[in-house]
């Protein structure tokens, strides 16, 4: 509905059909141009721009960028040669009869003008400045588009889930601290001194209780909180689309999620081919060096452990040797190969070995002279290279080497311009291990429990059918019924079949080193619920911020969140986190000492 107390139309509704009619518009002064007694104003609202013509100098003189104005005027066709094909309103303009300034604006800390969006003078400031003045940053067209996209996606997901008979249920924000793989944010309970609430890392246990409660099909756009070390695409508070179902298996959940994803992408005119392809976790690591492989391009990793089993090259005398082809990289200057070494060292590696196959087939590079004649002669065929290519190698432990090669594979594609943000390559990653080692140097997750094993996903994941009877006897090889949905090298979401039997749950906790007393303390309410007939259930959650950023083609999730945090969880807009007064601190009970009560 366009008509309100301040307007009859939005800016982009002013088209040729309204020529000769009077309209009332309201919005910001985007840009002003003066031409010999005539002022042209680009008026901007949430829909876009329309040109306003002012012949009265007294009306035009006070106007500045970002003044909020109401305009009454007649729509006319622009003179020949003055059309603007880049605007939907580019064939018309509004001649001002009256103009009212609704609010003035001070000089801006940075430019938000639509007209300057792609011009050199519109270079955005640093992120801290953008976030400090987020209300101005949000006026920019790209940010408006992202917020509208997010809204459209939410509506589409809701409709898809409603069509599948899901019930939307809100779960609490204040809960008890439970181990889920990250640090909790905690809140002091003033009315119970010395006690604390935790903010939920996810609604995991609560949605399982909803299944016990007979809801059967639940969803929620849930706010989640994790006190994690800062990364570019992490936020201390985030949103996930949470979905859970009773009396289902892995296939049911994946089929449901595919319908939701297809509906979301349809909002932007994309048809997602269903069913979505699958790859096992092991194949993803072996071929792409990632459990979230980017499949917009090929160039899989080639394992060469057997190829170099008798090598004289000491570096390749390792548990694992792998390679990835750098297509067309043979002519790369030495200084750029040196830069690749620095790139690898920034990822914790000692370097990135390489060879070059020159145009005439000659093998050169630092590694080449260390290989045997047999290894040199067969290497091009073994890695699938051709003349003019270079090849990068990694040797050492399997996981760290594959991670390095996987990152190199993506970096090669990035530099070659193969990461098209408008191309979407989906895959399910399935057959995950049930556990992972707690001493893995490449993993910064917080371990759940107190043993050398922690959960690959979370402690409530069901072992796969083949491992139900033996997962606790061989944790290293035990597999789970879990699955991740991946798009363009990003994990959009993940889920699993949940444990619904106390005996299995207790055995999993035992592997994690969580004893009966601790289990009762941490999540005894869930174990108690399982005693009263818990149905088989499974679910999945989509990281909503990340999903929106993928579809929007945004460089960071912060560009699809209205008010995100900066590095270290800081909020430049409000100044949070901030100290509290002594009186507030005393009132919270943070410093409560039970020994003082005894006295």
């Amino acid at each position: 509905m366009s008509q309100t107390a301040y307007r009859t139309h939005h800016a982009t509704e002013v088209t040729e059909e309204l020529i000769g009619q009077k309209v009332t518009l309201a919005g910001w002064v985007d840009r002003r141009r003066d031409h010999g007694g005539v002022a042209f104003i680009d008026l901007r609202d949430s829909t876009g721009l329309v040109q306003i013509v002012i012949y009265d100098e007294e009306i035009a003189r006070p106007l500045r960028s970002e003044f909020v104005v109401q305009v009454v005027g007649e729509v006319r066709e622009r003179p020949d040669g003055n059309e603007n094909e880049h605007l939907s309103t580019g064939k018309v303009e509004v001649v001002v009869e009256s103009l009212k300034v609704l609010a003035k604006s001070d000089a801006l800390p940075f430019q938000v003008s639509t007209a300057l969006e792609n011009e050199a003078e519109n270079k955005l400031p640093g992120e801290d400045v953008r976030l400090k003045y987020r209300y101005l940053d949000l006026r920019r067209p790209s940010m408006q588009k992202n917020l509208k996209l997010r809204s459209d996606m939410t509506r589409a997901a809701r409709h898809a889930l409603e069509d599948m008979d899901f019930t939307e249920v809100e779960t609490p924000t204040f809960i008890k601290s439970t181990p889920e793989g990250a640090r909790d944010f905690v809140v002091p309970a003033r009315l119970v001194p010395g006690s604390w609430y935790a903010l939920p890392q996810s609604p995991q246990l609560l949605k399982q209780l909803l299944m016990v409660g007979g809801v059967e099909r639940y969803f929620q756009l849930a706010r989640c909180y994790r006190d994690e070390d800062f990364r570019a695409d992490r936020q201390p508070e985030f949103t996930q689309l949470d979905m859970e179902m009773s009396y289902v298996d892995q296939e049911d959940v994946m089929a449901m999620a595919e319908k939701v994803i297809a509906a979301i992408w349809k909002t932007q005119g994309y048809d997602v081919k269903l069913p979505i392809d699958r790859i096992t976790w092991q194949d993803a690591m072996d071929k792409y060096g990632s459990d979230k492989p980017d499949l917009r391009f090929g160039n899989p990793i080639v394992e060469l452990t057997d190829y170099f089993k008798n090598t004289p090259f000491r570096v390749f005398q390792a548990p694992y040797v792998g390679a990835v082809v750098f297509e067309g990289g043979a002519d790369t200057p030495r200084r750029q190969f040196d830069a690749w070494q620095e790139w690898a060292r920034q990822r914790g590696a000692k370097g990135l070995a390489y060879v070059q196959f020159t145009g005439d087939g000659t093998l050169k590079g630092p590694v080449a002279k260390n290989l045997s004649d047999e290894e040199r002669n067969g290497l091009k065929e073994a890695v699938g290279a051709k003349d003019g290519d270079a090849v990068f190698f990694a040797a050492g432990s399997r996981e760290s080497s594959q991670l390095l090669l996987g990152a190199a594979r993506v970096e090669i594609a990035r530099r070659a311009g193969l990461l098209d943000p408008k191309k979407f390559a989906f895959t399910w990653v399935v057959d995950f291990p049930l556990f992972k080692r707690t001493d893995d140097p490449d993993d910064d997750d917080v371990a759940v429990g107190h043993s050398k094993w922690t959960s690959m996903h979370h402690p409530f994941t069901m072992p796969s059918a083949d491992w139900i009877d033996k997962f606790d006897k061989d944790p290293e090889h035990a597999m789970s019924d879990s699955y991740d949905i991946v798009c363009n090298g990003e994990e959009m979401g993940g889920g699993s079949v949940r444990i619904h039997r106390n005996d299995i749950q207790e055995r999993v906790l035992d592997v994690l080193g969580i004893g009966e007393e601790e289990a009762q303390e941490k999540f005894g309410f869930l174990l108690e619920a399982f005693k009263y007939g818990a149905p088989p259930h499974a679910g999945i959650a989509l990281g909503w911020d990340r999903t929106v950023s993928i579809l929007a083609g945004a460089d960071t999730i912060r560009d699809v969140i209205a008010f995100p945090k900066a590095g270290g969880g800081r909020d430049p807009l409000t100044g949070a986190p901030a100290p509290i007064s002594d009186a507030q601190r005393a009132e919270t009970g943070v410093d409560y000492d039970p020994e003082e009560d005894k006295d």
Side-chain angles (χ1 to χ4, degrees):
M1 183 180 73
S2 295
Q3 186 157 348
T4 69
Y6 286 91
R7 61 159 62 104
T8 59
H9 297 79
H10 276 106
T12 56
E13 293 173 331
V14 181
T15 62
E16 293 166 277
E17 295 177 358
L18 295 180
I19 290 175
Q21 297 184 34
K22 184 178 294 187
V23 296
T24 302
L25 308 174
W28 281 282
V29 174
D30 189 82
R31 187 167 66 155
R32 168 183 169 170
R33 303 177 305 282
D34 292 303
H35 295 279
V38 180
F40 295 91
I41 302 294
D42 289 333
L43 183 75
R44 185 186 75 245
D45 63 21
S46 63
T47 66
L49 294 177
V50 64
Q51 180 168 282
I52 308 299
V53 184
I54 303 174
Y55 289 102
D56 187 335
E57 187 177 345
E58 293 302 313
I59 293 177
R61 185 183 301 114
L63 300 181
R64 299 290 182 269
S65 291
E66 301 308 301
F67 274 32
V68 182
V69 298
Q70 182 187 46
V71 171
V72 178
E74 183 177 313
V75 181
R76 76 178 184 189
E77 187 175 10
R78 291 197 190 192
D80 287 343
N82 289 346
E83 299 90 348
N84 186 340
E85 60 183 21
H86 300 294
L87 293 179
S88 61
T89 60
K91 293 184 178 180
V92 296
E93 56 193 11
V94 177
V95 180
V96 170
E97 296 180 5
S98 64
L99 183 148
K100 182 179 181 180
V101 176
L102 302 176
K104 296 181 179 181
S105 172
D106 288 347
L108 299 175
F110 59 90
Q111 183 60 259
V112 299
S113 170
T114 303
L116 301 179
E117 181 69 12
N118 296 308
E119 297 181 19
E121 60 261 48
N122 189 28
K123 293 180 179 178
L124 291 175
E127 185 176 71
D128 269 15
V129 175
R130 286 179 57 200
L131 294 183
K132 181 178 179 180
Y133 299 98
R134 188 62 162 183
Y135 42 85
L136 293 179
D137 195 43
L138 289 174
R139 294 182 191 176
R140 296 189 301 111
S142 62
M143 296 300 297
Q144 289 283 314
K145 181 180 178 181
N146 287 348
L147 293 184
K148 181 65 166 62
L149 169 63
R150 185 173 181 132
S151 176
D152 291 344
M153 290 173 59
T154 299
R155 182 167 55 251
R158 274 200 167 97
H159 288 170
L161 289 163
E162 288 165 359
D163 289 345
M164 290 184 278
D165 296 323
F166 276 72
T167 301
E168 186 171 6
V169 182
E170 293 180 353
T171 54
T173 300
F174 283 6
I175 62 171
K176 186 175 184 177
S177 179
T178 57
E180 292 191 35
R183 298 174 188 86
D184 287 326
F185 283 105
V186 293
V187 181
R190 178 183 61 83
L191 299 178
V192 189
S195 296
W196 301 76
Y197 296 105
L199 303 183
Q201 296 182 31
S202 76
Q204 180 60 49
L205 302 189
L206 297 167
K207 65 187 177 187
Q208 290 191 251
L209 291 177
L210 287 173
M211 298 301 103
V212 179
V215 175
E216 289 205 9
R217 294 195 170 201
Y218 140 92
F219 83 94
Q220 178 184 195
L221 276 160
R223 295 294 284 173
C224 304
Y225 308 86
R226 295 183 182 178
D227 187 5
E228 299 177 301
D229 293 338
F230 179 76
R231 285 188 192 169
D233 263 18
R234 278 185 178 174
Q235 286 281 295
E237 54 180 326
F238 58 95
T239 304
Q240 65 184 38
L241 176 58
D242 219 41
M243 298 162 280
E244 196 81 5
M245 307 166 72
S246 291
Y247 304 108
V248 294
D249 62 9
Q250 176 172 311
E251 296 299 321
D252 296 316
V253 174
M254 292 168 70
M256 175 275 296
E258 288 182 354
K259 291 180 181 178
V260 174
I261 291 166
I264 291 169
W265 255 254
K266 191 70 173 178
T267 64
Q268 302 305 305
Y270 295 100
D271 291 319
V272 178
K273 179 178 175 293
L274 302 181
I276 292 171
D277 292 337
R278 303 181 184 191
I279 186 172
T280 67
W281 174 83
Q282 191 63 63
D283 280 349
M285 294 301 297
D286 289 345
K287 294 180 179 179
Y288 305 108
S290 174
D291 59 4
K292 43 183 183 291
D294 194 330
L295 302 182
R296 283 175 291 181
F297 57 97
N299 197 23
I301 294 169
V302 179
E303 181 169 353
L304 298 170
T305 308
D306 286 342
Y307 185 85
F308 288 115
K309 63 183 177 182
N310 298 315
T311 186
F313 187 28
R314 183 178 56 82
V315 174
F316 286 178
Q317 295 169 359
Y320 173 90
V321 183
V324 65
V325 174
F326 179 9
E327 186 175 357
D331 294 333
T332 300
R334 177 61 183 268
R335 65 180 181 277
Q336 290 187 23
F337 276 119
D338 290 342
W340 274 102
Q341 306 312 305
E342 179 58 30
W343 174 90
R345 284 190 285 271
Q346 290 175 357
R347 283 153 182 78
K350 293 181 179 179
L352 197 60
Y354 66 92
V355 297
Q356 300 153 276
F357 294 100
T358 63
D360 62 3
T362 302
L363 181 64
K364 67 176 190 176
V367 169
K369 63 179 179 296
N370 295 291
L371 304 181
S372 67
D373 289 342
E374 182 180 2
E375 290 167 347
R376 291 164 58 90
N377 292 337
L379 186 58
K380 183 163 60 176
E381 183 178 357
V383 299
K386 60 185 184 299
D387 291 345
D389 291 344
V391 177
F392 288 125
F393 300 92
S397 70
R398 173 175 287 272
E399 183 175 357
S400 60
S401 298
Q402 287 179 338
L403 290 173
L404 178 61
L405 290 171
R409 171 183 174 268
V410 173
E411 181 64 15
I412 290 167
R414 187 189 68 79
R415 297 184 186 193
L418 301 180
L419 305 185
D420 184 353
K422 295 183 179 180
K423 179 180 179 181
F424 303 101
F426 294 93
T427 188
W428 286 105
V429 180
V430 297
D431 297 340
F432 279 86
L434 184 60
F435 304 108
K436 59 184 178 180
R437 298 188 68 90
T438 56
D439 58 0
D440 183 354
D442 298 309
D443 187 358
D444 63 354
D445 286 341
V446 176
V448 175
H450 314 285
S451 78
K452 65 179 181 180
W453 301 106
T454 188
S455 298
M456 176 67 84
H457 281 83
H458 55 67
F460 317 106
T461 301
M462 181 71 86
S464 61
D466 293 341
W467 283 90
I468 286 287
D469 297 326
K470 58 184 179 181
F471 68 84
D472 43 354
K473 299 180 180 65
D474 186 9
E476 182 176 2
H477 300 102
M479 303 299 288
S480 66
D481 278 346
S482 54
Y483 34 87
D484 283 354
I485 182 66
V486 173
C487 181
N488 294 1
E490 298 282 355
E491 178 193 332
M492 277 175 48
S496 68
V497 176
R498 320 302 189 189
I499 297 171
H500 69 283
R501 286 169 38 191
N502 262 344
D503 59 326
I504 297 175
Q505 186 67 74
E506 288 169 2
R507 289 165 57 203
V508 167
L509 296 178
D510 187 58
V511 173
L512 300 176
I514 299 176
E516 182 178 353
E517 183 177 344
E518 182 181 358
Q520 287 297 326
E521 178 190 348
K522 295 290 189 183
F523 37 79
F525 58 91
L526 179 68
L527 301 178
E528 178 74 11
F530 284 174
K531 296 177 181 179
Y532 301 106
H537 55 283
I540 189 171
L542 298 182
W544 203 236
D545 310 304
R546 186 168 293 164
T547 300
V548 177
S549 70
I550 291 170
L551 185 49
D555 292 331
T556 167
I557 62 171
R558 294 189 292 280
D559 280 348
V560 299
I561 300 172
F563 299 102
K565 301 293 187 292
R570 297 174 300 104
D571 181 2
L573 176 64
T574 66
I580 58 176
S581 68
D582 291 342
Q584 280 180 294
R585 182 182 179 101
E587 192 175 44
T588 64
V590 170
D591 300 315
Y592 171 75
D593 184 354
E595 295 300 320
E596 292 182 2
D597 274 359
K598 293 179 182 179
D599 297 339

